[in-house]
Amino acid sequence: MAPDRLFAGLFAHGDGAAQATDRALLDAMVEVEVALLEALADLRLAPAEAARELADAVASGNLELDLDELGRATGQQGTPVPGLLRALRRQIGSAASTHLHKGATSQDVIDTAIMLVARRALDSIVADLGEAGDACAALVERHRAALVPGRTLLQQALPVTFGLKAAGWLSGLDGSTATLATIRDHELAVQFGGAVGTLASLGERGLEVGAGIAARLGLATAELPWHAIRLRPARLAAGLGITLGLLGKIGRDVVLLAQTEVGEAGEGGGEGRGGSSTMPHKRNPVGAVALVACAQRGPGLVATMLAAMAQEHERGAGGWQAEWETLLELLRLTGSGAAIAKELLAGLQVDPEKMRSDMDITGGLVMSESVAAALADSQGRSNAQDLVEAAARRSVEAGRGFRDVLLERPEVTDVLGAAGLDAALDPAGYLGVTSELIDRAVAAHRGP
Amino acid sequence: MAPDRLFAGLFAHGDGAAQATDRALLDAMVEVEVALLEALADLRLAPAEAARELADAVASGNLELDLDELGRATGQQGTPVPGLLRALRRQIGSAASTHLHKGATSQDVIDTAIMLVARRALDSIVADLGEAGDACAALVERHRAALVPGRTLLQQALPVTFGLKAAGWLSGLDGSTATLATIRDHELAVQFGGAVGTLASLGERGLEVGAGIAARLGLATAELPWHAIRLRPARLAAGLGITLGLLGKIGRDVVLLAQTEVGEAGEGGGEGRGGSSTMPHKRNPVGAVALVACAQRGPGLVATMLAAMAQEHERGAGGWQAEWETLLELLRLTGSGAAIAKELLAGLQVDPEKMRSDMDITGGLVMSESVAAALADSQGRSNAQDLVEAAARRSVEAGRGFRDVLLERPEVTDVLGAAGLDAALDPAGYLGVTSELIDRAVAAHRGP
Amino acid sequence: MAPDRLFAGLFAHGDGAAQATDRALLDAMVEVEVALLEALADLRLAPAEAARELADAVASGNLELDLDELGRATGQQGTPVPGLLRALRRQIGSAASTHLHKGATSQDVIDTAIMLVARRALDSIVADLGEAGDACAALVERHRAALVPGRTLLQQALPVTFGLKAAGWLSGLDGSTATLATIRDHELAVQFGGAVGTLASLGERGLEVGAGIAARLGLATAELPWHAIRLRPARLAAGLGITLGLLGKIGRDVVLLAQTEVGEAGEGGGEGRGGSSTMPHKRNPVGAVALVACAQRGPGLVATMLAAMAQEHERGAGGWQAEWETLLELLRLTGSGAAIAKELLAGLQVDPEKMRSDMDITGGLVMSESVAAALADSQGRSNAQDLVEAAARRSVEAGRGFRDVLLERPEVTDVLGAAGLDAALDPAGYLGVTSELIDRAVAAHRGP
Amino acid sequence: MAPDRLFAGLFAHGDGAAQATDRALLDAMVEVEVALLEALADLRLAPAEAARELADAVASGNLELDLDELGRATGQQGTPVPGLLRALRRQIGSAASTHLHKGATSQDVIDTAIMLVARRALDSIVADLGEAGDACAALVERHRAALVPGRTLLQQALPVTFGLKAAGWLSGLDGSTATLATIRDHELAVQFGGAVGTLASLGERGLEVGAGIAARLGLATAELPWHAIRLRPARLAAGLGITLGLLGKIGRDVVLLAQTEVGEAGEGGGEGRGGSSTMPHKRNPVGAVALVACAQRGPGLVATMLAAMAQEHERGAGGWQAEWETLLELLRLTGSGAAIAKELLAGLQVDPEKMRSDMDITGGLVMSESVAAALADSQGRSNAQDLVEAAARRSVEAGRGFRDVLLERPEVTDVLGAAGLDAALDPAGYLGVTSELIDRAVAAHRGP
């Protein structure tokens, strides 16, 4: 959990969010400086002693880097890097001090450190989403046949099963997870270009140094420095935003299922979770609400990242800087959402009886398409529809059961009989390819 | 400066930002509980002793409220209020404990506390913007006659003065300040409605209690509780977003004026500000870049606030929660922007000579409209324009001075003579109502 | 209805939207040119004949202005104004042709025309919102006492009345309407500054000309030209976005009330509206869905307008241009939303019986706060709460009625008796200040 | 060019935009109905005659589908599909009429039609971006060695070449193109699920029908219907938004290069393009401004698409509907941007002499890092930097040439001599890996 945040339990929950704090970014900046100096030493562009001094100082755990002081210095020079270098130089040996940051510019350090933070956060997020998918797959299988009204525009339309509904969530989770894993593995590259992208101060060795940094940090190398071509952060932001959108879909569905009047599902969770001491009948869908809330904050932040792409010449004058906290926030929100989704889906309490009984609210009208289909062979599609519509209207207007009204019609009794009509009115018999779709979703989740 | 933020100097600088931290919100929540209990006591709905116990505990400065612990609890119950009440009850007397939070719901406390935070932040922001306006007005007057090319689509068009350019900024600053002051004085109202807005647990006294809270906190009262009608936070967010947009305009103009090739203005500031040790000729426009960066982050956050308005029934399931950190961030960014603008404008170094010399880059072509106007009486508007355009084209194609080309034309020499032509080519003579506009802007700033 | 739009019925419905088409903007641009030339003639800066020629040509209704051709020309010169001037000059007399557009720049024409379009669209929108408010006030009064569960996080919490719920909508509608009316009356000003805001080509008469244009078009005058200080379009956009957010709140509430399982309200409307031929039991809440959809599109567009504010020097290179279609779209969406809200609220079918019966779903648990309050005097607030909570838990766990469980407790029977308990369990008796709030909302709507 | 749009030349230019009009979507909806009926006929789920009748009616070109009328009907039923079906049934044979739309729901038709529109628009956009890349590659090669100041925060920093700057654009264009091509080939899938995603009315044959539609329309098939899991439209929107961001970067750079004071590049283009009749020296960077404007409109629209993802149950009540026009607009803007970028880059006029002379504005100070590097071997990195900084400061303060000041220092003359100093001051000698990066970008563009 990210520290010192009053709303951390909602917006900075779980491992992914914990990887994306300001402190984590600062630590990553130090790691970038270490990797740079080690890469320089490997190529004999800096003495091995310098690299060792720096690595030792970092490994000692005694480095003091004051976030408040560095934060203030950011206002003086536009990035925290000069302040960080000053603070490091006060605490490391003279060889390290001399060669620290050689060949790099502030942007190299910040961009690469953000990529590193993103890599670690995505590791956690992908893992949490994977577990959320596992929990969802278990729901799919447990409730694959549990009838529930399919709802369009929040109106009951035709039957589905809760398994199919959860299969939709599952396919979305798997799709999001795959997208983020791809981004983690291919988009997160070292930025190393020096002041303007030419690496001039390293002569002809700059690209080798960059490759060395990438190898040490476990990041990809980029074809070209990307200091002013911001496809990588934009794609990362978009992937996070899309994942948040998907989590918001799941959260909203659960909020709706958990309504007092619907009560088809509810959140589990330990003592006190979502409870209200003054209203003991209430169990607030806290996790689902948190998912919706995280999701609602995504689009605006993604918009900021996209709007920031038009960065001037060799370093943006405002756009680049606007990315920093925005990207960290997106990582935290997605991390929090993934962790919450995992817990929510693992603990979701499903009430198949309530689902089944909600199928009956319309007195069978929800099955009218099925009845029309059953009559289509004998009467033609059009006539069958007309007959059913008339019966449905009569049922609604007269307040009589749809089945009763239908049984008065000889076209129905002659062709289907009461048993045939009951079959046509049975939601379980009108599920189309539900089972096959569920199989597909589960198989895709399990992988080859 | 907001603490523990790596980029605080850019995005959480100054007094306004310092008022809008998570800790400040927590403190404000406590103040709301105090005001509630005092209002209850005033109306004899709670014992005076209870109010005194709570007020004393708060005033003692010994209350321990652990942000980390409260943040975690937010994830359990969806808001930090239950956790806060538990923590308070552990540390206050029993009368206070019994009557604490009476009649209120979590939303009352959070919404009202955010309004309180906003009030304090806006006090600082309005003050900083006012000082920014003062500094800008000084620039207007000092440079009211300093000629500078007016630029449309970043192409030199016709002359303006730097005073007029700064008068535009000034009118924008004054407009933003007025908007925020109005919001502060009229939109920031107590939210007090109880669980669903009826204040049922207080019988018929609820509205009196709300009025009492408002009086104690110095906030407005609302006609109706606004728990699910979010005009107030939306208007606040919009006002902040518009102010950020205006600050971004000023920042972008300064960045452009400070370009190495333009060099018409630059940031002052103490030792080291914006400097580069490796590139001593550079003085980065750090403040202006920060303004642009703050501004770039506004629109997405405002969008989040507007999208959050569609809150369900008597309390939003996601939208309300999405507002909290978003609004704090907007307050911090605007506060930071206002403080930076104040410093930037107070220290702005203007180079009137460079401005004047940039007027000559086009060899007088920038004055062609003026020449055409001077010739219009004698030749008709159309003919005069044709003549000037032909001369301008020739000047460009032949690489000769515009004045020289014009002096070859008898229509010019006969009517204007060299002296008349020089007058028409003098930017200072083609400024229209510049002076009157400057007077208007300064007078409006000074007020009646 | 705006023409040639496949989704016009949702997003370009009603009078406000019809005022904000591309064609309407083009017409408004012509009106601006007419007003300019007439203002010039009034001041003897152009011959009266020129103004008359232009006005006559426009009044004749024979002007041919090809939207396709002008649209293409916009790509050549960056605005449609040069193309419009060419087209006009082909069709007007020579005096008009000579003096057309004198003193103005393209931006003056487009900005002022957009303000004019906004004025007309806002006239319609304010009127439609006013009628929506009237319809809402009628709902408030008709259903002021209709009990309905208040819902927080979509969980039943405590009773409200539908009148109070609609009173919330009403206060929001009135607030939005007032904001838009204020914007219409004070923010919509002529932009008139010439190429760079100095009005140089009109010598010292430029401001008089601007005032003349304003008088003729019924727009406000601005203290300074606002070509690069975009507070006015930003405030307009924000006002529209906030109104859309409020309409989305109403739409979402109606969608939720209309759920098959809730069925407390539904849309009226003529034959076929929202109906489904294949599912005759369904009546889709088409208007409410349209409100939500319009509202969902607002925040992104407002963000675009705010991000566009950082316009360079004397004319923005991208930001200004990005405003044009964005603002028209916002006007259309708000116009459409206002018209739909008016129809929706006028036709809303409310089912007080279903609302009342939904109050009983929790078997009285929803009234536990009321019971605790009734017991507080005799037992102390804490003990009373503990007692009620225990009873509530037992009721839920044992599946027994809350009333029955309570009646087993002597603390209850001794103090309240069965009749007193029933009174405490009666939702109608636990409405707090509902009635007063309803009175306030209606009185505020009716005005002084 | 999309018709009837006043600003079409900026925002709806080129082939991609022309594919994404309301009319094109309507046509695509008809194509979906044709493909559905043909797929049914192939599987003997509908008579071949029905498919033939519909196909013939469409092929005849005589179908009358009134956009205004359909647009209005959208308001009655929430989608244009019922109106379209009515209009079709009036104009096709009775077999076609009977089987039209069998098994499908409105959402199937609209979602699939949007995918079809996107496929065609992306074909054009990918082609235009490819040509833009070709033009950019030509610029890279032509100007690979043209020295130009690298600028960070719009301050001159170190030399780059224009070839390298354009290589950055090229890598961005190639990255965007690849992303959009991948989306086109893999994300654009048929949506076919019937009312709630089970395809119940087609029994067990529904997935075969869906596959048949996909084959006929050249779209992918989806593992599951995606009616409420909106990853596909969200990814499409994100890809478009990222591409717009990249185009905005190019546009902004060109606007900055074209500034009157910089003049290092300008737009070509035929007679009148960007010209100003009253200011003949001006050549407005119309295309570059249009790129920035298109780009500015992207982020808000992408935010709308992401916010729309949280769609309720089996069909969204507002979110889905909000996607329609938003996605069309994004396609038009990206199409317009791609077409404009192609033209802009093909016609870009580069002025290498002005670039080279701008390198000298700082009197050599821009090369101080290079001088320090040249001195580092003899004096140590730290001492060399100190020496150069001191000289630079003195040069700035005394207004003397940097070279002259350096030549006074024996540490410089002894080690480097005047010739060596001149070499260190030569921008062409301090370009690092510029050439290799250019080779990489061009090779990547050319492909294997």
Side-chain angles (χ1 to χ4, degrees), chain A residues 171-213:
Chain A
S171 74
L173 284 168
D174 285 345
S176 301
T177 311
T179 296
L180 291 182
T182 301
I183 288 170
R184 177 193 57 188
D185 297 339
H186 300 290
E187 291 292 334
L188 304 182
V190 165
Q191 157 59 25
F192 190 60
V196 294
T198 62
L199 289 164
S201 73
L202 295 173
E204 301 182 350
R205 311 291 301 275
L207 294 174
E208 290 169 80
V209 177
I213 299 170

Side-chain angles (χ1 to χ4, degrees), chain B residues 183-245:
Chain B
I183 288 171
R184 178 193 58 188
D185 297 339
H186 300 290
E187 292 292 334
L188 304 182
V190 164
Q191 156 60 27
F192 189 60
V196 294
T198 62
L199 289 164
S201 72
L202 294 173
E204 300 182 352
R205 313 290 301 275
L207 294 174
E208 290 169 81
V209 176
I213 299 171
R216 288 184 168 275
L217 296 178
L219 294 171
T221 54
E223 198 75 8
L224 266 71
W226 46 276
H227 44 113
I229 303 293
R230 308 303 288 178
L231 293 179
R232 288 173 194 276
R235 285 177 183 145
L236 171 57
L240 296 168
I242 291 170
T243 301
L244 281 168

Side-chain angles (χ1 to χ4, degrees), chain B residues 121-291:
Chain B
L122 285 184
D123 279 340
S124 295
I125 293 170
V126 165
D128 279 349
L129 289 175
E131 289 187 47
D134 293 344
C136 193
L139 286 172
V140 171
E141 302 201 277
R142 197 174 322 134
H143 301 288
R144 65 178 299 143
L147 291 165
V148 65
R151 294 162 174 119
T152 59
L153 312 186
L154 292 179
Q155 300 291 301
Q156 291 192 4
L158 284 177
V160 298
T161 72
F162 183 70
L164 181 61
K165 182 184 286 278
W169 300 346
L170 178 59
S171 74
L173 284 167
D174 285 345
S176 302
T177 310
T179 296
L180 291 182
T182 301
I183 288 171
R184 178 193 58 188
D185 297 339
H186 300 290
E187 292 292 334
L188 304 182
V190 164
Q191 156 60 27
F192 189 60
V196 294
T198 62
L199 289 164
S201 72
L202 294 173
E204 300 182 352
R205 313 290 301 275
L207 294 174
E208 290 169 81
V209 176
I213 299 171
R216 288 184 168 275
L217 296 178
L219 294 171
T221 54
E223 198 75 8
L224 266 71
W226 46 276
H227 44 113
I229 303 293
R230 308 303 288 178
L231 293 179
R232 288 173 194 276
R235 285 177 183 145
L236 171 57
L240 296 168
I242 291 170
T243 301
L244 281 168
L246 185 276
L247 295 173
K249 153 69 177 168
I250 297 175
R252 177 152 289 164
D253 277 358
V254 172
V255 168
L256 291 169
L257 293 172
Q259 291 175 98
T260 306
E261 299 81 12
V262 178
E264 298 177 358
E267 293 189 32
E271 186 60 29
R273 182 166 172 96
S276 164
S277 61
T278 52
M279 293 181 275
H281 60 291
K282 280 188 71 173
R283 180 160 296 281
N284 284 322
V286 173
V289 167
L291 284 188

